[in-house]
Amino acid sequence: MSTRTFGEPIKRNEDRRLLTGQALFIDDVELPGMLHAAFLRSQVAHARIRKIDVSRALRRPGVVAAYVADDLGDYWKPGPLLVPPPPIAGIVFNQRTQVPLAKNKVRHVGEPLVIVIAESRYIAEDALDDIDIELEQLPAVVDIEQGLKAGSALVHEDLDSNVSAHVRQTKGNYATAAAKADHIIKRQFRYEHGISSPIETRGVVAQWDKRANQMTIWDTTQAPVFIRNGLAGMLGLSERQVRVIAPFVGGGFGPKIMMFYPEEVLLPWVSMKLNRPIKWIEDRLEHFFATTHERGQIHDAEMALTRDGRILGIKDVFLHDGGAYDPYGLTVPINSQCTLLGPYVVPNYDSTFTQVFTNLTLVTPYRGAGRQHGVFVMERLLDFAAHELNIDRAEIRRRNLIPADAFPYKNEIIFQDFQPLEYDSGNYEPVLDMALKAIGYNAFREEQAAARRQGRHLGIGVACYVEGTGIGPYEGAKVQVQSNGKVSIATGIGTQGQGHFTVFAQIAADQLGVAVTDVDVVTGDTDQFYWGAGTFASRGAVVAGNAVNEASKVVRKKALKLASDLFECAEEDLVLEDGKVSIVGIPEKFVRLGDLAGRANPMRGAVQPGTEPGLESTQYFGPPMGATANGVHAMIVEMDPRTFDLKILKYVVVHDCGTVINPMILAGQIHGGVAQGIGNAFYEKLVFDDQGQLLNASLADYLLPTALEVPRVELGHTVTKSPLNPMGIKGAGEAGAIPVGPLFAQAIEDALDLERRGVELLEIPLSPSRLFELTRNAPG
Amino acid sequence: MKPASFRYISATSLEHALSLKAEYGDDAKFLAGGQSLIPTMNFRLARPAILIDLNRIDGLGATRPCDGGGARVGALTRYRTLERDAGFAGMFPLIAEALPHIAHPQIRNRGTIGGNLSHADPASELPAVAVALGARFHVQSTKQQRWCDASNFFVGGLTTDLQSDEMLVEVELPAPKPRTGSCFMEIARRRGDFAIAGVAATMTLGERDECIHVRLVFCGVGETPADASSVAEILRGHAPTEQAIRDVAAAAQAMIDPSGSVHATADYQRHIAGVLTERALQTAYQRARHGH
Amino acid sequence: MDIDDHEITISVNGVRYQRRVESRMLLSDFLRHDLGLAGTHVGCEHGVCGACTVLLDGQPVRSCLMFAVQAEKHEISTVEGVAGGDGEYHPLQQAMHDHHGLQCGYCTPGILMTMTAFLEENRSPSEEEVREALSGNLCRCTGYQNIVDAVMAAAKRMRG
């Protein structure tokens, strides 16, 4: 076999097109006769619709059509429930899913009211001004605590409250454990996550070809197969008639997943109606309202401990802001509930949450997907416990880590994949040790004191987490050797920069003895691969990667079988490398893979019964449950104690995501995750007024970190293979982003000496202004 | 986010531009760098009927020395032109220090001094710097030309003393006196963002290192540049002590009236203004002493 | 109101184009949709993200903050012109590939335009200078570290 590429920092196959401006992104799709859509969106969060009149808009030159909800007839219906609630006893779930165009009532700023179709986007936007609209404004539900109070306005008036869901999950018996505890820590925490804000916004192009009876949809979706199936059903077409293509997608991070966003539902319908291709590209302003958010939770949490700092149990009651509709079920709060437990032994757990409807944009998973919220609660509780029990912060974590011999470790409660939460494998203590060593933990107190003598305020943080990754149900891959000897792979997932064109190629290249650059990967085109779920939950490499591996193995076997027939020798005597099969020890006796592919599809002659033609195979892989990755982040910051300006001096991530396919790409995933975590912890905050208006809907005011805010990240890895898939892979996409909030809180507290001054940081995001307010009355 | 329709006229000369403005008045806007105007047009927050493009007028972007020292900066001078001009930076270190805080290189390649000052964003750096330096603005219309002191130019948030037929055509910067030190500092959430609070300070020392002249002007803490030079007067006549500087900071804090924003409470802005005052005056003093 | 349009002649990557454009047509839209040079990407249309950065007479500017009509008689350079005629990578493109300086690649054209111009002016930048020059371009995928490394490596190579 050729040199293995698996595990090597192989450079990416997809780069050339991206670096030369030749990659096809959604807004690059240009079709003859294409029209452009713009949406009139609600400017208020909650209102009854009294009147919409588009007649003036229709008279504007260049405007082709304008539709309101009633124009859609039977096509108007609430979207499907994408993720039903998990099988948990006593669960309450009120399903209220989003609609294509608001009818009777609007429930969040940005909810679409009218779709306008015009010859250009410029004219379509002009026409929005021509629409006469009367809205009767209603009080808005913005605050989740207020929203649950009696007398609150109701987002959905057919319900008697704003409860979207209520879930309690328990493990052991917290009350009994607490009764025996030496010490109880009890705090309220507020954690807000922001918006994914990929640099490319969303977009849809729909082209109905009347002659061919064929619908083609280009969509920035992370889950093209579901979009095809769903839209085919809605449009009354067979799935075969609908092709969904997710081209190069400029970042996703969750919110580009299948939502059946109103625009996705409307454009194909309009294209059929007008028999013209239609394009809609979300602009940045729309993105702030029309693409899903993540936002906040409020946790009332307590931790029961022994006096030597061992966790006896945790009780947590939290509220989760679900937004105006709940098509994504409970994925985000369930992730919070489960991930809170972290890498620690928590014998007793009692967790209850209420998902609340608000008059704000929908909440769906965004990188981390609620895991951040839970990790913040756990890590902060441990920090306060460490302080009150006079134990070092790293030490209290070490004492509670799940021991290496305890895996698989059962946490009993139900995870987002509907399976009981079980950690497949792990070895946590070496990860913590590596991180402490890399950050210079032991020397830090001396360094800190020396800096303080020079008037510099340094602080350190250490935070641990686990990440449930690589969940099912399944993905598939078709691996095919072409007659030119190149290998093609097709899979059903979408890709948004994760390097799938390279890592899948590496997997196949190793099995088939070809160069990585000779493997061409297609993702996100439903005509190339029919089945699949999508790219989410750090699962692409795990689930689709294993499918590629399985299919490649079958193709390898086929190639060797064909060659053994040809050479009339045993398969064991053959070697597959450099794109050809040769006989061991007789390198001049060989056949090229491309020729074998030709032989696998003969023009004449009989083939053996049961033989599948072609040097190809389609295989599926579905793990029994998610694989659990883990890691530790550590950071040293310097704070200006007067301005609260923050500088990160050192940032360390040590991470275990099982077998690594491509360390270069993995590092990139971690770097990017950390950058988003830093944004979440200290820069990015959605600021709403009490009427549900977003006050900072621009990239000038919603602060994405730049190259000056994000430090160099030092990486370390350990490898504990997952037993759940043959390659031993765990997911890595979200790990960088998860524990950054508690890390900031801890390091800032340390730098500003807040423990001594009696100030606790119980919320994320923080900011200089907020730190000033929190500390202004504290002793110096 | 596409701008509404407008009529575009590329002015061929200053006279042409001024006559167009005289003709169309408030329906028309001058298009200089466009780095503030075009975003607001893309959001459709601004919908001028007519844009008079100044970019093809020769000579509006020139910087030249003026009689008796100092410099005259043409309105169409791009930030980056000044940034690259070592001689200019040497003469006006306060401006040189402020320029990198203005947005990012791509914006500074295009944005102009005159456009910035005429736009009069309360959080913008240059208006405060111009007031601190005692700049004068040469203002022209078809009917008249006049000079306006920077301190009288900014009359409100996004509002200046310019009449609807006038254009700011040149900025006159007097040469700093010998033994003058200056300092620009600001706190923004990220470099290049508008200031939560910023301060431009200059201090001139006499032979015995006593302060003989001091200017202290804030950006970001009010509708216009907040000139707190009067409260710094107590420094005059003495070598500034730490305590005296702290007193100035406290007085300045009491004087300003920040409004708060999504990024900062008004109290934090006021607090920052005090901290920056201390640091900037101290730095300006040290620079004056050491001839920087 | 009647459409206000103008005949313009501009040069993009050394090729002269003559077109009629409406006054309000943003340069970014003109390059992408009228000239088919879709490598220049649009991320925010208010001058913050930097994805649409092109060179105007050699200097990086936001193409979403210029009207196409203003580009009359100017030289524009876009990502399509960065590599050599034979497809050979510019040293920065090569370094971005080598250092994994791109993930989704959407911000990449703007970064290439900003940083190739930066490298023309500064062949021996410090990391801090690189980060400062890069700070007008938002990237949501990479955390910037590999881009910084790529620019430093390209600078080294360009110094020879």
Side-chain angles (χ1 to χ4, degrees), chain A residues 592-611:
Chain A
R592 295 186 188 283
L593 265 183
D595 296 336
L596 282 177
R599 285 175 176 274
N601 187 29
M603 283 287 280
R604 291 287 186 280
V607 299
Q608 295 295 318
T611 305

PDB file of all heavy atoms in Angstrom, chain A residues 592-611:
ATOM      1  N   ARG A 592      -3.888  -1.157 -14.222  1.00  0.00           N
ATOM      2  CA  ARG A 592      -4.294   0.125 -13.634  1.00  0.00           C
ATOM      3  C   ARG A 592      -5.726   0.033 -13.115  1.00  0.00           C
ATOM      4  O   ARG A 592      -6.564  -0.655 -13.672  1.00  0.00           O
ATOM      5  CB  ARG A 592      -4.212   1.242 -14.675  1.00  0.00           C
ATOM      6  CG  ARG A 592      -2.803   1.506 -15.129  1.00  0.00           C
ATOM      7  CD  ARG A 592      -2.711   2.720 -16.046  1.00  0.00           C
ATOM      8  NE  ARG A 592      -1.368   2.807 -16.592  1.00  0.00           N
ATOM      9  CZ  ARG A 592      -0.322   3.263 -15.901  1.00  0.00           C
ATOM     10  NH1 ARG A 592      -0.482   3.700 -14.662  1.00  0.00           N
ATOM     11  NH2 ARG A 592       0.872   3.293 -16.448  1.00  0.00           N
ATOM     12  N   LEU A 593      -5.953   0.800 -12.050  1.00  0.00           N
ATOM     13  CA  LEU A 593      -7.298   0.814 -11.467  1.00  0.00           C
ATOM     14  C   LEU A 593      -8.340   1.222 -12.501  1.00  0.00           C
ATOM     15  O   LEU A 593      -9.437   0.668 -12.548  1.00  0.00           O
ATOM     16  CB  LEU A 593      -7.346   1.816 -10.299  1.00  0.00           C
ATOM     17  CG  LEU A 593      -7.120   1.295  -8.890  1.00  0.00           C
ATOM     18  CD1 LEU A 593      -7.294   2.445  -7.897  1.00  0.00           C
ATOM     19  CD2 LEU A 593      -8.066   0.151  -8.546  1.00  0.00           C
ATOM     20  N   GLY A 594      -7.995   2.206 -13.324  1.00  0.00           N
ATOM     21  CA  GLY A 594      -8.941   2.667 -14.344  1.00  0.00           C
ATOM     22  C   GLY A 594      -9.315   1.549 -15.297  1.00  0.00           C
ATOM     23  O   GLY A 594     -10.479   1.415 -15.697  1.00  0.00           O
ATOM     24  N   ASP A 595      -8.333   0.721 -15.653  1.00  0.00           N
ATOM     25  CA  ASP A 595      -8.621  -0.404 -16.547  1.00  0.00           C
ATOM     26  C   ASP A 595      -9.497  -1.437 -15.850  1.00  0.00           C
ATOM     27  O   ASP A 595     -10.376  -2.049 -16.462  1.00  0.00           O
ATOM     28  CB  ASP A 595      -7.314  -1.056 -17.017  1.00  0.00           C
ATOM     29  CG  ASP A 595      -6.495  -0.078 -17.862  1.00  0.00           C
ATOM     30  OD1 ASP A 595      -7.106   0.849 -18.441  1.00  0.00           O
ATOM     31  OD2 ASP A 595      -5.259  -0.215 -17.898  1.00  0.00           O
ATOM     32  N   LEU A 596      -9.238  -1.628 -14.565  1.00  0.00           N
ATOM     33  CA  LEU A 596     -10.089  -2.550 -13.809  1.00  0.00           C
ATOM     34  C   LEU A 596     -11.525  -2.036 -13.785  1.00  0.00           C
ATOM     35  O   LEU A 596     -12.476  -2.812 -13.857  1.00  0.00           O
ATOM     36  CB  LEU A 596      -9.567  -2.711 -12.378  1.00  0.00           C
ATOM     37  CG  LEU A 596      -8.368  -3.638 -12.209  1.00  0.00           C
ATOM     38  CD1 LEU A 596      -7.921  -3.635 -10.749  1.00  0.00           C
ATOM     39  CD2 LEU A 596      -8.712  -5.060 -12.653  1.00  0.00           C
ATOM     40  N   ALA A 597     -11.657  -0.697 -13.673  1.00  0.00           N
ATOM     41  CA  ALA A 597     -12.997  -0.116 -13.680  1.00  0.00           C
ATOM     42  C   ALA A 597     -13.698  -0.440 -14.987  1.00  0.00           C
ATOM     43  O   ALA A 597     -14.889  -0.758 -15.012  1.00  0.00           O
ATOM     44  CB  ALA A 597     -12.926   1.394 -13.460  1.00  0.00           C
ATOM     45  N   GLY A 598     -12.935  -0.378 -16.092  1.00  0.00           N
ATOM     46  CA  GLY A 598     -13.492  -0.745 -17.393  1.00  0.00           C
ATOM     47  C   GLY A 598     -13.904  -2.213 -17.419  1.00  0.00           C
ATOM     48  O   GLY A 598     -14.990  -2.565 -17.879  1.00  0.00           O
ATOM     49  N   ARG A 599     -13.050  -3.047 -16.874  1.00  0.00           N
ATOM     50  CA  ARG A 599     -13.349  -4.482 -16.840  1.00  0.00           C
ATOM     51  C   ARG A 599     -14.569  -4.790 -15.972  1.00  0.00           C
ATOM     52  O   ARG A 599     -15.226  -5.812 -16.142  1.00  0.00           O
ATOM     53  CB  ARG A 599     -12.155  -5.259 -16.283  1.00  0.00           C
ATOM     54  CG  ARG A 599     -11.034  -5.380 -17.272  1.00  0.00           C
ATOM     55  CD  ARG A 599      -9.819  -6.038 -16.654  1.00  0.00           C
ATOM     56  NE  ARG A 599      -8.795  -6.216 -17.674  1.00  0.00           N
ATOM     57  CZ  ARG A 599      -8.751  -7.278 -18.488  1.00  0.00           C
ATOM     58  NH1 ARG A 599      -9.634  -8.249 -18.361  1.00  0.00           N
ATOM     59  NH2 ARG A 599      -7.817  -7.362 -19.412  1.00  0.00           N
ATOM     60  N   ALA A 600     -14.809  -3.915 -15.000  1.00  0.00           N
ATOM     61  CA  ALA A 600     -15.937  -4.128 -14.097  1.00  0.00           C
ATOM     62  C   ALA A 600     -17.255  -3.754 -14.767  1.00  0.00           C
ATOM     63  O   ALA A 600     -18.323  -3.939 -14.202  1.00  0.00           O
ATOM     64  CB  ALA A 600     -15.758  -3.316 -12.817  1.00  0.00           C
ATOM     65  N   ASN A 601     -17.157  -3.188 -15.945  1.00  0.00           N
ATOM     66  CA  ASN A 601     -18.370  -2.836 -16.689  1.00  0.00           C
ATOM     67  C   ASN A 601     -18.185  -3.288 -18.131  1.00  0.00           C
ATOM     68  O   ASN A 601     -18.086  -2.489 -19.048  1.00  0.00           O
ATOM     69  CB  ASN A 601     -18.592  -1.323 -16.607  1.00  0.00           C
ATOM     70  CG  ASN A 601     -19.920  -0.931 -17.221  1.00  0.00           C
ATOM     71  OD1 ASN A 601     -20.865  -1.729 -17.208  1.00  0.00           O
ATOM     72  ND2 ASN A 601     -19.978   0.260 -17.784  1.00  0.00           N
ATOM     73  N   PRO A 602     -18.107  -4.614 -18.342  1.00  0.00           N
ATOM     74  CA  PRO A 602     -17.726  -5.133 -19.666  1.00  0.00           C
ATOM     75  C   PRO A 602     -18.845  -4.941 -20.690  1.00  0.00           C
ATOM     76  O   PRO A 602     -20.016  -4.914 -20.344  1.00  0.00           O
ATOM     77  CB  PRO A 602     -17.467  -6.615 -19.394  1.00  0.00           C
ATOM     78  CG  PRO A 602     -18.273  -6.933 -18.187  1.00  0.00           C
ATOM     79  CD  PRO A 602     -18.367  -5.685 -17.375  1.00  0.00           C
ATOM     80  N   MET A 603     -18.454  -4.840 -21.956  1.00  0.00           N
ATOM     81  CA  MET A 603     -19.412  -4.715 -23.048  1.00  0.00           C
ATOM     82  C   MET A 603     -19.957  -6.080 -23.467  1.00  0.00           C
ATOM     83  O   MET A 603     -21.046  -6.200 -23.994  1.00  0.00           O
ATOM     84  CB  MET A 603     -18.716  -4.094 -24.267  1.00  0.00           C
ATOM     85  CG  MET A 603     -18.498  -2.617 -24.184  1.00  0.00           C
ATOM     86  SD  MET A 603     -20.018  -1.700 -24.392  1.00  0.00           S
ATOM     87  CE  MET A 603     -20.208  -1.731 -26.187  1.00  0.00           C
ATOM     88  N   ARG A 604     -19.175  -7.081 -23.302  1.00  0.00           N
ATOM     89  CA  ARG A 604     -19.560  -8.419 -23.777  1.00  0.00           C
ATOM     90  C   ARG A 604     -19.163  -9.443 -22.729  1.00  0.00           C
ATOM     91  O   ARG A 604     -18.350  -9.181 -21.846  1.00  0.00           O
ATOM     92  CB  ARG A 604     -18.826  -8.760 -25.079  1.00  0.00           C
ATOM     93  CG  ARG A 604     -19.260  -7.934 -26.280  1.00  0.00           C
ATOM     94  CD  ARG A 604     -20.648  -8.351 -26.784  1.00  0.00           C
ATOM     95  NE  ARG A 604     -20.992  -7.648 -28.016  1.00  0.00           N
ATOM     96  CZ  ARG A 604     -21.454  -6.409 -28.073  1.00  0.00           C
ATOM     97  NH1 ARG A 604     -21.583  -5.721 -26.949  1.00  0.00           N
ATOM     98  NH2 ARG A 604     -21.763  -5.871 -29.226  1.00  0.00           N
ATOM     99  N   GLY A 605     -19.714 -10.637 -22.901  1.00  0.00           N
ATOM    100  CA  GLY A 605     -19.329 -11.730 -22.024  1.00  0.00           C
ATOM    101  C   GLY A 605     -20.243 -11.827 -20.823  1.00  0.00           C
ATOM    102  O   GLY A 605     -20.992 -10.893 -20.512  1.00  0.00           O
ATOM    103  N   ALA A 606     -20.199 -12.950 -20.176  1.00  0.00           N
ATOM    104  CA  ALA A 606     -21.070 -13.193 -19.031  1.00  0.00           C
ATOM    105  C   ALA A 606     -20.340 -12.854 -17.744  1.00  0.00           C
ATOM    106  O   ALA A 606     -19.152 -13.093 -17.617  1.00  0.00           O
ATOM    107  CB  ALA A 606     -21.488 -14.663 -19.010  1.00  0.00           C
ATOM    108  N   VAL A 607     -21.053 -12.284 -16.830  1.00  0.00           N
ATOM    109  CA  VAL A 607     -20.442 -12.090 -15.518  1.00  0.00           C
ATOM    110  C   VAL A 607     -21.071 -13.071 -14.550  1.00  0.00           C
ATOM    111  O   VAL A 607     -22.160 -13.601 -14.793  1.00  0.00           O
ATOM    112  CB  VAL A 607     -20.617 -10.642 -15.003  1.00  0.00           C
ATOM    113  CG1 VAL A 607     -19.967  -9.647 -15.936  1.00  0.00           C
ATOM    114  CG2 VAL A 607     -22.072 -10.323 -14.783  1.00  0.00           C
ATOM    115  N   GLN A 608     -20.403 -13.304 -13.492  1.00  0.00           N
ATOM    116  CA  GLN A 608     -20.901 -14.243 -12.485  1.00  0.00           C
ATOM    117  C   GLN A 608     -22.186 -13.707 -11.863  1.00  0.00           C
ATOM    118  O   GLN A 608     -22.300 -12.502 -11.659  1.00  0.00           O
ATOM    119  CB  GLN A 608     -19.858 -14.421 -11.380  1.00  0.00           C
ATOM    120  CG  GLN A 608     -18.575 -15.061 -11.833  1.00  0.00           C
ATOM    121  CD  GLN A 608     -18.788 -16.498 -12.288  1.00  0.00           C
ATOM    122  OE1 GLN A 608     -19.518 -17.249 -11.645  1.00  0.00           O
ATOM    123  NE2 GLN A 608     -18.162 -16.872 -13.398  1.00  0.00           N
ATOM    124  N   PRO A 609     -23.148 -14.568 -11.567  1.00  0.00           N
ATOM    125  CA  PRO A 609     -24.348 -14.095 -10.873  1.00  0.00           C
ATOM    126  C   PRO A 609     -23.969 -13.402  -9.559  1.00  0.00           C
ATOM    127  O   PRO A 609     -23.008 -13.807  -8.909  1.00  0.00           O
ATOM    128  CB  PRO A 609     -25.140 -15.373 -10.594  1.00  0.00           C
ATOM    129  CG  PRO A 609     -24.596 -16.392 -11.542  1.00  0.00           C
ATOM    130  CD  PRO A 609     -23.177 -16.005 -11.829  1.00  0.00           C
ATOM    131  N   GLY A 610     -24.695 -12.378  -9.217  1.00  0.00           N
ATOM    132  CA  GLY A 610     -24.423 -11.677  -7.956  1.00  0.00           C
ATOM    133  C   GLY A 610     -23.366 -10.607  -8.099  1.00  0.00           C
ATOM    134  O   GLY A 610     -23.119  -9.851  -7.164  1.00  0.00           O
ATOM    135  N   THR A 611     -22.721 -10.518  -9.242  1.00  0.00           N
ATOM    136  CA  THR A 611     -21.698  -9.503  -9.422  1.00  0.00           C
ATOM    137  C   THR A 611     -22.350  -8.138  -9.635  1.00  0.00           C
ATOM    138  O   THR A 611     -23.294  -8.016 -10.408  1.00  0.00           O
ATOM    139  CB  THR A 611     -20.839  -9.838 -10.665  1.00  0.00           C
ATOM    140  OG1 THR A 611     -20.325 -11.140 -10.517  1.00  0.00           O
ATOM    141  CG2 THR A 611     -19.696  -8.819 -10.814  1.00  0.00           C
TER     142      THR A 611
END
